[in-house]
mmCIF file of all heavy atoms in Angstrom:
data_model
loop_
_atom_site.group_PDB
_atom_site.id
_atom_site.type_symbol
_atom_site.label_atom_id
_atom_site.label_comp_id
_atom_site.label_asym_id
_atom_site.label_seq_id
_atom_site.Cartn_x
_atom_site.Cartn_y
_atom_site.Cartn_z
ATOM 1 N N HIS D 121 68.193 -26.979 11.083
ATOM 2 C CA HIS D 121 67.727 -25.764 11.773
ATOM 3 C C HIS D 121 67.912 -25.850 13.304
ATOM 4 O O HIS D 121 68.297 -24.876 13.952
ATOM 5 C CB HIS D 121 66.247 -25.598 11.399
ATOM 6 C CG HIS D 121 65.524 -24.486 12.033
ATOM 7 N ND1 HIS D 121 65.291 -23.296 11.402
ATOM 8 C CD2 HIS D 121 64.960 -24.366 13.260
ATOM 9 C CE1 HIS D 121 64.611 -22.500 12.194
ATOM 10 N NE2 HIS D 121 64.390 -23.126 13.335
ATOM 11 N N HIS D 125 70.209 -23.436 15.778
ATOM 12 C CA HIS D 125 69.812 -22.726 17.014
ATOM 13 C C HIS D 125 70.878 -22.916 18.103
ATOM 14 O O HIS D 125 71.140 -22.007 18.891
ATOM 15 C CB HIS D 125 68.475 -23.264 17.530
ATOM 16 C CG HIS D 125 67.263 -22.592 16.950
ATOM 17 N ND1 HIS D 125 67.093 -21.227 16.955
ATOM 18 C CD2 HIS D 125 66.134 -23.097 16.372
ATOM 19 C CE1 HIS D 125 65.918 -20.914 16.400
ATOM 20 N NE2 HIS D 125 65.326 -22.033 16.039
ATOM 21 N N SER D 147 62.369 -24.092 21.432
ATOM 22 C CA SER D 147 61.735 -23.322 20.360
ATOM 23 C C SER D 147 60.263 -23.699 20.292
ATOM 24 O O SER D 147 59.739 -24.386 21.177
ATOM 25 C CB SER D 147 62.446 -23.593 19.038
ATOM 26 O OG SER D 147 62.152 -24.889 18.600
ATOM 27 N N GLY D 148 59.618 -23.261 19.207
ATOM 28 C CA GLY D 148 58.204 -23.594 19.053
ATOM 29 C C GLY D 148 57.997 -25.046 18.667
ATOM 30 O O GLY D 148 56.973 -25.645 18.976
ATOM 31 N N GLY D 149 58.985 -25.631 18.011
ATOM 32 C CA GLY D 149 58.841 -27.004 17.535
ATOM 33 C C GLY D 149 59.688 -28.007 18.295
ATOM 34 O O GLY D 149 59.443 -29.214 18.221
ATOM 35 N N HIS D 150 60.708 -27.534 19.003
ATOM 36 C CA HIS D 150 61.656 -28.449 19.656
ATOM 37 C C HIS D 150 62.011 -27.999 21.071
ATOM 38 O O HIS D 150 62.144 -26.802 21.324
ATOM 39 C CB HIS D 150 62.949 -28.554 18.837
ATOM 40 C CG HIS D 150 62.724 -29.249 17.534
ATOM 41 N ND1 HIS D 150 62.238 -28.597 16.441
ATOM 42 C CD2 HIS D 150 62.855 -30.554 17.179
ATOM 43 C CE1 HIS D 150 62.082 -29.460 15.456
ATOM 44 N NE2 HIS D 150 62.453 -30.654 15.869
ATOM 45 N N GLY D 174 57.996 -23.671 23.580
ATOM 46 C CA GLY D 174 57.351 -22.552 22.879
ATOM 47 C C GLY D 174 55.889 -22.862 22.567
ATOM 48 O O GLY D 174 55.023 -21.990 22.659
ATOM 49 N N GLU D 175 55.639 -24.123 22.228
ATOM 50 C CA GLU D 175 54.269 -24.565 21.933
ATOM 51 C C GLU D 175 53.410 -24.441 23.205
ATOM 52 O O GLU D 175 52.270 -23.970 23.151
ATOM 53 C CB GLU D 175 54.381 -26.029 21.487
ATOM 54 C CG GLU D 175 53.131 -26.695 21.037
ATOM 55 C CD GLU D 175 53.406 -28.186 20.719
ATOM 56 O OE1 GLU D 175 54.570 -28.653 20.826
ATOM 57 O OE2 GLU D 175 52.433 -28.880 20.379
ATOM 58 N N TYR D 177 53.961 -22.408 25.703
ATOM 59 C CA TYR D 177 53.763 -20.965 25.908
ATOM 60 C C TYR D 177 52.621 -20.461 25.026
ATOM 61 O O TYR D 177 51.748 -19.722 25.479
ATOM 62 C CB TYR D 177 55.045 -20.196 25.558
ATOM 63 C CG TYR D 177 55.839 -19.761 26.769
ATOM 64 C CD1 TYR D 177 56.888 -20.528 27.249
ATOM 65 C CD2 TYR D 177 55.536 -18.573 27.426
ATOM 66 C CE1 TYR D 177 57.611 -20.132 28.351
ATOM 67 C CE2 TYR D 177 56.260 -18.170 28.532
ATOM 68 C CZ TYR D 177 57.299 -18.951 28.991
ATOM 69 O OH TYR D 177 58.010 -18.548 30.096
ATOM 70 N N ASP D 178 52.659 -20.853 23.754
ATOM 71 C CA ASP D 178 51.645 -20.360 22.814
ATOM 72 C C ASP D 178 50.245 -20.867 23.196
ATOM 73 O O ASP D 178 49.268 -20.130 23.112
ATOM 74 C CB ASP D 178 51.993 -20.789 21.378
ATOM 75 C CG ASP D 178 53.259 -20.109 20.877
ATOM 76 O OD1 ASP D 178 53.638 -19.058 21.433
ATOM 77 O OD2 ASP D 178 53.892 -20.632 19.934
ATOM 78 N N PRO D 189 51.370 -14.047 18.121
ATOM 79 C CA PRO D 189 51.968 -15.230 18.741
ATOM 80 C C PRO D 189 52.042 -15.043 20.255
ATOM 81 O O PRO D 189 52.459 -13.999 20.753
ATOM 82 C CB PRO D 189 53.365 -15.244 18.128
ATOM 83 C CG PRO D 189 53.674 -13.810 17.814
ATOM 84 C CD PRO D 189 52.370 -13.119 17.593
ATOM 85 N N GLY D 190 51.625 -16.061 20.975
ATOM 86 C CA GLY D 190 51.360 -15.906 22.397
ATOM 87 C C GLY D 190 52.578 -15.835 23.302
ATOM 88 O O GLY D 190 52.540 -15.152 24.324
ATOM 89 N N GLY D 191 53.667 -16.559 22.948
ATOM 90 C CA GLY D 191 54.824 -16.637 23.852
ATOM 91 C C GLY D 191 55.307 -15.276 24.339
ATOM 92 O O GLY D 191 55.342 -15.018 25.550
ATOM 93 N N PRO D 192 55.668 -14.370 23.429
ATOM 94 C CA PRO D 192 56.151 -13.068 23.879
ATOM 95 C C PRO D 192 55.095 -12.265 24.634
ATOM 96 O O PRO D 192 55.423 -11.514 25.558
ATOM 97 C CB PRO D 192 56.530 -12.337 22.578
ATOM 98 C CG PRO D 192 56.356 -13.290 21.465
ATOM 99 C CD PRO D 192 55.794 -14.563 21.982
ATOM 100 N N ASP D 195 54.958 -13.579 28.150
ATOM 101 C CA ASP D 195 56.171 -13.094 28.829
ATOM 102 C C ASP D 195 55.958 -11.650 29.309
ATOM 103 O O ASP D 195 56.245 -11.312 30.465
ATOM 104 C CB ASP D 195 57.352 -13.179 27.836
ATOM 105 C CG ASP D 195 58.694 -12.806 28.434
ATOM 106 O OD1 ASP D 195 58.792 -12.709 29.674
ATOM 107 O OD2 ASP D 195 59.656 -12.621 27.655
ATOM 108 N N GLY D 298 67.002 -20.923 20.318
ATOM 109 C CA GLY D 298 65.585 -21.138 20.027
ATOM 110 C C GLY D 298 64.765 -19.960 20.518
ATOM 111 O O GLY D 298 65.209 -19.214 21.405
ATOM 112 N N GLY D 299 63.568 -19.820 19.944
ATOM 113 C CA GLY D 299 62.726 -18.646 20.216
ATOM 114 C C GLY D 299 62.519 -18.345 21.693
ATOM 115 O O GLY D 299 62.488 -17.177 22.094
ATOM 116 N N VAL D 300 62.402 -19.381 22.541
ATOM 117 C CA VAL D 300 62.084 -19.124 23.954
ATOM 118 C C VAL D 300 63.308 -18.574 24.719
ATOM 119 O O VAL D 300 63.157 -18.064 25.829
ATOM 120 C CB VAL D 300 61.469 -20.369 24.634
ATOM 121 C CG1 VAL D 300 60.910 -20.013 26.003
ATOM 122 C CG2 VAL D 300 60.366 -20.968 23.780
ATOM 123 N N ALA D 302 64.479 -15.959 24.045
ATOM 124 C CA ALA D 302 64.181 -14.510 24.101
ATOM 125 C C ALA D 302 63.404 -14.185 25.376
ATOM 126 O O ALA D 302 63.207 -13.009 25.694
ATOM 127 C CB ALA D 302 63.355 -14.094 22.885
ATOM 128 N N ASN D 303 62.970 -15.204 26.098
ATOM 129 C CA ASN D 303 62.136 -14.987 27.291
ATOM 130 C C ASN D 303 62.931 -14.339 28.431
ATOM 131 O O ASN D 303 64.015 -14.810 28.793
ATOM 132 C CB ASN D 303 61.573 -16.345 27.749
ATOM 133 C CG ASN D 303 60.635 -16.198 28.913
ATOM 134 O OD1 ASN D 303 61.049 -16.272 30.063
ATOM 135 N ND2 ASN D 303 59.372 -15.966 28.618
ATOM 136 N N SER D 304 62.348 -13.304 28.999
ATOM 137 C CA SER D 304 63.066 -12.500 30.003
ATOM 138 C C SER D 304 63.480 -13.329 31.219
ATOM 139 O O SER D 304 64.625 -13.276 31.659
ATOM 140 C CB SER D 304 62.178 -11.341 30.456
ATOM 141 O OG SER D 304 60.956 -11.856 30.958
ATOM 142 N N CYS D 329 67.711 -15.170 18.577
ATOM 143 C CA CYS D 329 66.964 -16.209 19.305
ATOM 144 C C CYS D 329 65.925 -16.838 18.392
ATOM 145 O O CYS D 329 65.858 -18.055 18.232
ATOM 146 C CB CYS D 329 66.257 -15.605 20.518
ATOM 147 S SG CYS D 329 67.361 -15.010 21.803
ATOM 148 N N LEU D 330 65.082 -15.987 17.804
ATOM 149 C CA LEU D 330 64.041 -16.489 16.904
ATOM 150 C C LEU D 330 64.666 -16.878 15.570
ATOM 151 O O LEU D 330 65.834 -16.564 15.315
ATOM 152 C CB LEU D 330 62.950 -15.433 16.746
ATOM 153 C CG LEU D 330 62.038 -15.416 17.988
ATOM 154 C CD1 LEU D 330 62.116 -14.113 18.714
ATOM 155 C CD2 LEU D 330 60.618 -15.729 17.594
ATOM 156 N N ASP D 331 63.862 -17.506 14.724
ATOM 157 C CA ASP D 331 64.387 -18.002 13.451
ATOM 158 C C ASP D 331 65.068 -16.891 12.662
ATOM 159 O O ASP D 331 64.528 -15.793 12.522
ATOM 160 C CB ASP D 331 63.242 -18.616 12.634
ATOM 161 C CG ASP D 331 62.755 -19.901 13.268
ATOM 162 O OD1 ASP D 331 63.434 -20.402 14.184
ATOM 163 O OD2 ASP D 331 61.715 -20.409 12.837
HETATM 164 O O1 KG4 K 1 62.840 -20.752 17.251
HETATM 165 P P1 KG4 K 1 61.534 -20.191 16.851
HETATM 166 O O2 KG4 K 1 61.524 -18.824 16.199
HETATM 167 O O3 KG4 K 1 60.773 -21.133 15.865
HETATM 168 C C1 KG4 K 1 60.906 -22.522 15.910
HETATM 169 O O4 KG4 K 1 61.958 -23.037 15.430
HETATM 170 O O5 KG4 K 1 59.965 -23.158 16.463
HETATM 171 O O6 KG4 K 1 60.627 -20.168 18.154
HETATM 172 C C2 KG4 K 1 59.325 -19.667 18.150
HETATM 173 C C3 KG4 K 1 58.726 -19.890 19.534
HETATM 174 C C4 KG4 K 1 57.233 -19.579 19.577
HETATM 175 O O7 KG4 K 1 56.573 -20.647 20.240
HETATM 176 C C5 KG4 K 1 57.185 -18.294 20.398
HETATM 177 O O8 KG4 K 1 55.985 -18.116 21.103
HETATM 178 C C6 KG4 K 1 58.353 -18.483 21.338
HETATM 179 O O9 KG4 K 1 59.356 -19.030 20.505
HETATM 180 N N1 KG4 K 1 58.807 -17.230 21.940
HETATM 181 C C7 KG4 K 1 58.727 -16.947 23.266
HETATM 182 C C8 KG4 K 1 59.228 -15.628 23.437
HETATM 183 N N2 KG4 K 1 59.592 -15.153 22.212
HETATM 184 C C9 KG4 K 1 59.328 -16.152 21.309
HETATM 185 N N3 KG4 K 1 58.295 -17.689 24.295
HETATM 186 C C10 KG4 K 1 58.348 -17.145 25.512
HETATM 187 N N4 KG4 K 1 58.801 -15.893 25.763
HETATM 188 C C11 KG4 K 1 59.245 -15.103 24.756
HETATM 189 N N5 KG4 K 1 59.702 -13.878 25.012
#
Side-chain angles (χ1 to χ4, degrees):
H121 177 100
H125 272 308
S147 71
H150 292 83
E175 184 184 358
Y177 258 95
D178 293 339
D195 184 13
V300 191
N303 184 269
S304 57
C329 293
L330 283 116
D331 291 349

